[in-house]
Amino acid sequence: KAGVTQTPRYLIKTRGQQVTLSCSPISGHRSVSWYQQTPGQGLQFLFEYFSETQRNKGNFPGRFSGRQFSNSRSEMNVSTLELGDSALYLCASSLGAGSSEKLFFGSGTQLSVL
Amino acid sequence: AQSVTQPDIHITVSEGASLELRCNYSYGATPYLFWYVQSPGQGLQLLLKYFSGDTLVQGIKGFEAEFKRSQSSFNLRKPSVHWSDAAEYFCAVGVHGGSQGNLIFGKGTKLSVKP
């Protein structure tokens, strides 16, 4: 069974641009969560989606948005990029929703904002 | 709200030596507890988890962890470390009935292994 796939693997953008990151979960998994990982802040929760519905959102500005499609694939978008948005963005999928679920992580998208 | 602390930012052990990584949590009730490992350039992989029952939990790759309610701790152990164990280790705490947004990760402990 294929794992969680995130594309692209690396991305370089300039301030003010927008970016869309993609995540394909493991087949059969209906929940997708997104995390931002930085050396200073560690892993911070962005969103959780289950069956196309956003269940929870982390403490990030409205420039960060996401969605989930009917096939469980998910995208996240960051508009008006800032230097501080440089980070590794990780997607995780699970069979169900909730904090008891085993999360399967992708390798992430490394975003650099110049 | 719950919180989790990993007191050690970086630990170095010799290959073959034993390992203990510390994790302390703050939560009013018994939480869900997890240990994840992240190799360089990779996502996180679940090593083990504790929900209830036996306080000593066995995981993959020869790791185990012990839940100690009195100390609010969930330390990860391995009796003999291999060079391939060099990675970053994250403890995470979740709440019963919560969403994945309620899953809080520690800042991580980076493990280096000396030959």
Side-chain angles (χ1 to χ4, degrees):
Chain A
K1 201 181 246 189
V4 177
T5 303
Q6 290 189 246
T7 56
R9 186 72 178 89
Y10 300 95
L11 208 48
I12 299 175
K13 292 286 188 179
T14 56
R15 280 182 299 172
Q17 287 186 309
Q18 77 164 23
V19 66
T20 298
L21 312 181
S22 179
C23 173
S24 293
I26 291 173
S27 177
H29 285 194
R30 296 169 64 191
S31 178
V32 172
S33 295
W34 289 88
Y35 294 84
Q36 182 195 65
Q37 186 178 25
T38 58
Q41 298 298 316
L43 277 151
Q44 294 186 282
F45 170 78
L46 281 158
F47 324 98
E48 178 190 7
Y49 288 92
F50 182 77
S51 294
E52 301 180 69
T53 301
Q54 187 180 91
R55 290 191 81 227
N56 207 341
K57 187 178 191 300
N59 189 23
F60 279 83
R63 302 185 295 107
F64 291 80
S65 62
R67 58 179 175 169
Q68 187 181 32
F69 302 96
S70 59
N71 61 358
S72 294
R73 192 178 69 84
S74 177
E75 288 181 348
M76 68 163 281
N77 184 275
V78 188
S79 62
T80 320
L81 283 166
E82 300 178 0
L83 294 178
D85 297 333
S86 295
L88 179 66
Y89 289 87
L90 292 166
C91 165
S93 76
S94 58
L95 276 170
S99 60
S100 65
E101 292 288 320
K102 176 180 177 180
L103 300 178
F104 293 81
F105 284 83
S107 297
T109 294
Q110 184 68 55
L111 173 64
S112 297
V113 182
L114 307 178
Chain B
Q2 76 276 31
S3 65
V4 59
T5 302
Q6 293 180 246
D8 304 306
I9 296 174
H10 190 186
I11 284 182
T12 300
V13 300
S14 297
E15 192 168 15
S18 63
L19 170 71
E20 182 168 26
L21 302 182
R22 296 183 291 164
C23 172
N24 295 100
Y25 69 90
S26 173
Y27 184 58
T30 301
Y32 298 134
L33 294 162
F34 305 82
W35 275 100
Y36 282 85
V37 60
Q38 185 179 31
S39 298
Q42 300 297 316
L44 282 71
Q45 180 185 22
L46 180 68
L47 287 174
L48 47 79
K49 61 184 180 182
Y50 172 80
F51 289 173
S52 64
D54 192 348
T55 57
L56 186 62
V57 181
Q58 301 297 320
I60 63 171
K61 305 185 180 188
F63 286 92
E64 66 177 26
E66 186 171 12
F67 170 61
K68 292 186 177 180
R69 185 191 309 275
S70 61
Q71 297 176 22
S72 297
S73 69
F74 188 57
N75 293 350
L76 182 71
R77 301 193 294 245
K78 187 169 184 178
S80 177
V81 169
H82 188 262
W83 64 266
S84 61
D85 293 325
E88 191 154 19
Y89 292 79
F90 295 89
C91 180
V93 179
V95 301
H96 288 249
S99 75
Q100 285 166 17
N102 299 120
L103 185 64
I104 305 300
F105 286 86
K107 292 290 179 71
T109 297
K110 185 174 181 180
L111 173 65
S112 297
V113 181
K114 290 190 300 185

